Each structure stands twice: as C-alpha cells, then as structure tokens.
Amino acid sequence: MTRNLLFVAKVFGLVLLLVGLVACQTTDAVVKDNSTDKSEPYIAPLKWQSTSFIPQDVPSTDDIFKLTAQQQEDFTKYYFAEKNAHIEEHERLYNYLEMILYGFDYRGDTYTASVALTKHSGNCLSLAILTAALVNLVDLDIRYQRVNTAPIYQRFHNVMTLSSHVRTFVFAPQTPLKKNEIVIARKKMIIDYFPEKGNVTGDYIDESQFISMFYQNLAGDSLVAKEYDLSYALLSKAMALNTQNPETLNTLAVLYKSLGDEASAERIYHYALNNTSGSVNILSNYALLLEEQGRQIELSEIQDKLNSVKDDNPYRWYDLANKHFDNDELTYALRYFKKSIKVAPYLHEGYFGAAKTYYQMGRTKLAKEFMDKAVELKFTPQDKVLYKAKSSVISVEH
C-alpha cells in the first residue's frame, strides 16, 4: 500500500522528507510573553536535538560555495578579459556558465561548487550552487526560485523520493539613475538547467532556505542509505540556518520516525503546524502516522485541514489526490484534483484526474467535460489520442 511509504521530496538536487498526512494543531507551543509586544507571540523553542547520534563531519556553509584557486582564476580571467568588456556583467557570467557546462553530466548527485566543477557533473541544485559561487566572486546580485515540475519518483524500501527543481536569477549591476529616470525592472539572466513547458514557477526563497536545500538533499540520501548519524548531522546544519523551515522539520520528523521514535516525530509535526506555514508533505506524513496508530478521529480532522493549506505546487495536490483515488476515497480525491487545477489551470493532469474521479462517481457528464479540457491542454499527440479514446468511452456510456 502506498500509504505505508515514507516520502522524501527532492529538487533535482533538493531533498525534502515527507512522511504522510498531518495531525491536528495544538495550542501549547505558543506562549504569550507579557514583556514584549502582544502582537508578537513568543514561540517556545522546539526540543529536537538528541544525544543518541554519533557526531559526523559535514561541509560548512563556506565549503558549499568555495572554489579552488585555479577555478577562481579561470573564471576571473574570462570575466575581466578586455575582449569581454563590452558584454554586460550578468551576461558575461551567463556566457561563462554556458561555455563550461558543455557536456556536463546532469545526474542526480548534490555537490559543492568546487566538486561539481571538478567532476563536471551534478544536479540542478549543484549547478545553482556553482552559479552562486561565481556570483560571489564578482559581487553580482542573485535570487533563487522554486520551480514545480512533473514529479519523478524513486522507491527505496519504505522510502519514496519526489523530485522538484530550483532556478537562479542573476541581475545586472545597479547604475545611478539619471534625472527623471525610473527603472521599471532590472535586467537579469534566468539560469534554469531544466526548462520545460510543464514547469510551474513557485515562491522565491532566501539564501538560508537555498543552503538548507543542500543539507536536506544530502540528509535525504543518507536516510535512504540508513546512515542515520550522518543524516542527523546534516539536518542539524539546516536547523542552525532556520528552525522554521517546514521541509527541514519534515525531514527531521521522518528521520525520527524511521528510527521508531514516533513521539519525537509527532512533536516536530505539531511544532511545524503551529509555527510555520506548513506543507502538504508535513500534513501527509503526519496523517500516515495517525493512520498507522489507528487514530481515526484525528486523522479525519487533519484531512479536513489539508484543504486550507497553501501550496503552489500543483503536482503535490495531484499526487495526494491520486493516493485517495487509489484507496477509493473519491470525495477527497476530487477535492485535491480541483486544488491542483486551481493552482495551475493550464496543466492537463488535474483535469484528467477530476474526469476519472467523476466517472467513478457515475457523474459521466462532468467526467466528459473535464476529459475534454484535458485533451485540449495536452500537448503530446500520443497522449491526445489516448485521452480522446477515453473521452469517447465516457460519451458512449453516457
């Protein structure tokens, strides 16, 4: 059964751990501090640390972006070459990346900037880290953005990984404004190593979240390999950057659950639900924990809470909907297929999911309408033929 799997979310180099569905929120984690502004609630620290893990050496944040002396020299020699002086700085960096990445092996390993450049391989997160390392050498401005892509699943025993994606923006240097001059938008280069039509842009993330992705990815890999001490050490680095990151908390909860410490996992889920924006991953993983413990009332409450969670990844809702569909929970399935459509109304998958759910409910007229929309949005000719075939079956039976 898919519900017995632990889910680990990656970002083509970004690993976030997922476990099941969420539990109901509690109020004891937020305590009012009368000595401060009453509009700012005091958040009680989460007791997530454990002394049962053996310390491990892991890369520092400086190590992640550090390049060798030769790598730095090669880049700056190109960047400041007289022959390139006529090219704007942000374009120069883009051109250098395009040149050095020829023949690059885009496999799924997460590397530091130096290792990625030495091995000439790495996933999209590794390449975003390399981009940031080069940007740091010439003091350009950079920004990071999540990109939601059609998920890639890999199963390892009771752990399933889910891949997503990240891209970078490198901006042109700011110049003094002339009199009466207004800048509407700064020029920039978008560096996206896997641009596809089905990609859906997500939230911008700050540097601490970006660096956390590095540690989360390696922690996820370590968890799959059952290297729990290393996974804990990596997550400790991520927690030092930001204790409010929902995906770091989710990964940490999965680690504890994998070790059989369900009490610690649940405590982390509660904290994340009370003090962060939450995520579908956290809710799903917590729900799985409740289901395994037979806590049906709390499970039902959490399934209801899922609908109010804000998540801009349509594929996450689509995946959740399919889990309910496979378990013949059609009401929930339809709800989350429609959430997927609401987030990304231009993707065909949500419409197809809603169509098959309406069909199972016996509501063939609505099934036909949603199937027709899926056919209209689908680009691949082979899939259009398949969808049209299914649509004709619905028409006949209607």
Side-chain angles (χ1 to χ4, degrees), residues 2-3 21 284 287 291 299 302-304 306 316-337 356-357:
T2 55
R3 288 202 170 194
L21 292 175
S284 297
E291 183 181 45
L299 175 61
I302 288 176
Q303 287 175 330
D304 289 337
L306 259 171
R316 204 164 276 155
W317 292 114
Y318 179 74
D319 177 63
L320 181 61
N322 274 312
K323 288 186 180 68
H324 286 291
F325 183 86
D326 291 342
N327 286 280
D328 202 31
E329 297 167 345
L330 301 182
T331 300
Y332 284 120
L334 184 60
R335 174 187 296 178
Y336 300 128
F337 281 131
K356 69 179 183 180
T357 306

Side-chain angles (χ1 to χ4, degrees), residues 225-242:
K226 297 184 178 181
E227 297 173 338
Y228 299 127
D229 294 324
L230 180 56
S231 185
Y232 178 82
L234 290 161
L235 288 171
S236 296
K237 281 286 189 181
M239 288 292 287
L241 289 166
N242 187 351

Side-chain angles (χ1 to χ4, degrees), residues 125-136:
L125 182 62
S126 304
L127 297 176
I129 287 169
L130 174 57
T131 301
L134 297 176
V135 164
N136 291 340

Side-chain angles (χ1 to χ4, degrees), residues 39-150:
S39 64
E40 294 292 333
Y42 169 73
I43 300 176
L46 170 67
K47 296 179 181 179
W48 60 270
Q49 298 91 338
S50 172
T51 58
S52 61
F53 295 96
I54 300 172
Q56 304 287 309
D57 291 329
V58 298
S60 68
T61 53
D62 289 339
D63 291 335
I64 296 173
F65 300 101
K66 188 176 181 179
L67 295 170
T68 67
Q70 186 62 55
Q71 289 169 341
Q72 293 180 49
E73 182 183 344
D74 290 342
F75 171 63
T76 54
K77 184 178 179 180
Y78 172 92
Y79 189 84
F80 294 109
E82 186 176 347
K83 66 178 182 180
N84 295 321
H86 66 287
I87 303 172
E88 290 194 84
E89 288 92 330
H90 64 307
E91 291 188 34
R92 247 181 273 168
L93 185 138
Y94 180 91
N95 292 343
Y96 184 77
L97 280 169
E98 192 172 43
M99 179 180 68
I100 66 172
L101 295 179
Y102 180 78
F104 202 91
D105 180 7
Y106 296 92
R107 59 185 176 180
D109 295 313
T110 303
Y111 293 133
T112 63
S114 177
V115 172
L117 194 49
T118 299
K119 288 180 174 287
H120 212 61
S121 68
N123 55 28
C124 82
L125 182 62
S126 304
L127 297 176
I129 287 169
L130 174 57
T131 301
L134 297 176
V135 164
N136 291 340
L137 294 177
V138 292
D139 200 28
L140 293 174
D141 292 330
I142 191 171
R143 199 173 187 189
Y144 312 100
Q145 184 181 39
R146 289 189 303 104
V147 178
N148 302 315
T149 63

Side-chain angles (χ1 to χ4, degrees), residues 71-360:
Q71 289 169 341
Q72 293 180 49
E73 182 183 344
D74 290 342
F75 171 63
T76 54
K77 184 178 179 180
Y78 172 92
Y79 189 84
F80 294 109
E82 186 176 347
K83 66 178 182 180
N84 295 321
H86 66 287
I87 303 172
E88 290 194 84
E89 288 92 330
H90 64 307
E91 291 188 34
R92 247 181 273 168
L93 185 138
Y94 180 91
N95 292 343
Y96 184 77
L97 280 169
E98 192 172 43
M99 179 180 68
I100 66 172
L101 295 179
Y102 180 78
F104 202 91
D105 180 7
Y106 296 92
R107 59 185 176 180
D109 295 313
T110 303
Y111 293 133
T112 63
S114 177
V115 172
L117 194 49
T118 299
K119 288 180 174 287
H120 212 61
S121 68
N123 55 28
C124 82
L125 182 62
S126 304
L127 297 176
I129 287 169
L130 174 57
T131 301
L134 297 176
V135 164
N136 291 340
L137 294 177
V138 292
D139 200 28
L140 293 174
D141 292 330
I142 191 171
R143 199 173 187 189
Y144 312 100
Q145 184 181 39
R146 289 189 303 104
V147 178
N148 302 315
T149 63
I152 297 175
Y153 296 98
Q154 289 181 290
R155 182 178 297 184
F156 305 91
H157 304 294
N158 69 327
V159 177
M160 182 178 287
T161 62
L162 169 63
S163 297
S164 52
H165 186 56
V166 65
R167 68 180 184 177
T168 55
F169 295 78
V170 179
F171 293 87
Q174 289 182 316
T175 56
L177 295 179
K178 298 177 182 179
K179 188 176 181 180
N180 298 324
E181 184 180 30
I182 299 175
V183 176
I184 303 299
R186 261 173 97 183
K187 288 187 288 186
K188 61 182 178 293
M189 300 298 292
I190 301 175
I191 301 173
D192 190 344
Y193 300 100
F194 299 102
E196 295 182 359
K197 288 182 178 179
N199 290 353
V200 182
T201 54
D203 296 332
Y204 289 101
I205 56 176
D206 62 27
E207 187 175 45
S208 68
Q209 291 173 304
F210 177 68
I211 298 173
S212 291
M213 291 177 177
F214 174 84
Y215 292 116
Q216 289 163 8
N217 261 20
L218 295 183
D221 292 339
S222 301
L223 187 60
V224 167
K226 297 184 178 181
E227 297 173 338
Y228 299 127
D229 294 324
L230 180 56
S231 185
Y232 178 82
L234 290 161
L235 288 171
S236 296
K237 281 286 189 181
M239 288 292 287
L241 289 166
N242 187 351
T243 59
Q244 305 297 108
N245 187 319
E247 300 303 348
T248 299
L249 292 166
N250 183 55
T251 305
L252 188 62
V254 173
L255 170 62
Y256 278 116
K257 187 174 186 297
S258 297
L259 292 169
D261 188 353
E262 295 185 350
S264 293
E266 183 166 4
R267 185 170 65 251
I268 294 168
Y269 287 137
H270 274 291
Y271 177 88
L273 291 173
N274 285 324
N275 301 302
T276 75
S277 59
S279 74
V280 173
N281 295 348
I282 289 174
L283 286 168
S284 297
N285 289 337
Y286 195 8
L288 176 61
L289 178 63
L290 293 174
E291 183 181 45
E292 291 173 345
Q293 294 178 352
R295 296 157 63 182
Q296 294 301 319
I297 295 177
E298 292 167 277
L299 175 61
S300 178
E301 290 175 352
I302 288 176
Q303 287 175 330
D304 289 337
K305 289 178 183 292
L306 259 171
N307 202 44
S308 62
V309 170
K310 293 181 180 180
D311 195 309
D312 61 9
N313 188 339
Y315 296 108
R316 204 164 276 155
W317 292 114
Y318 179 74
D319 177 63
L320 181 61
N322 274 312
K323 288 186 180 68
H324 286 291
F325 183 86
D326 291 342
N327 286 280
D328 202 31
E329 297 167 345
L330 301 182
T331 300
Y332 284 120
L334 184 60
R335 174 187 296 178
Y336 300 128
F337 281 131
K338 287 188 173 181
K339 289 278 283 188
S340 177
I341 293 170
K342 184 177 181 180
V343 172
Y346 43 84
L347 295 180
H348 68 94
E349 288 92 342
Y351 295 95
F352 173 68
K356 69 179 183 180
T357 306
Y358 275 127
Y359 184 77
Q360 285 296 103

Side-chain angles (χ1 to χ4, degrees), residues 348 371-379 384 387:
H348 68 94
M371 183 63 77
D372 287 345
K373 187 65 176 179
V375 172
E376 177 187 333
L377 292 172
K378 184 59 184 168
F379 296 103
K384 271 195 173 182
Y387 277 16

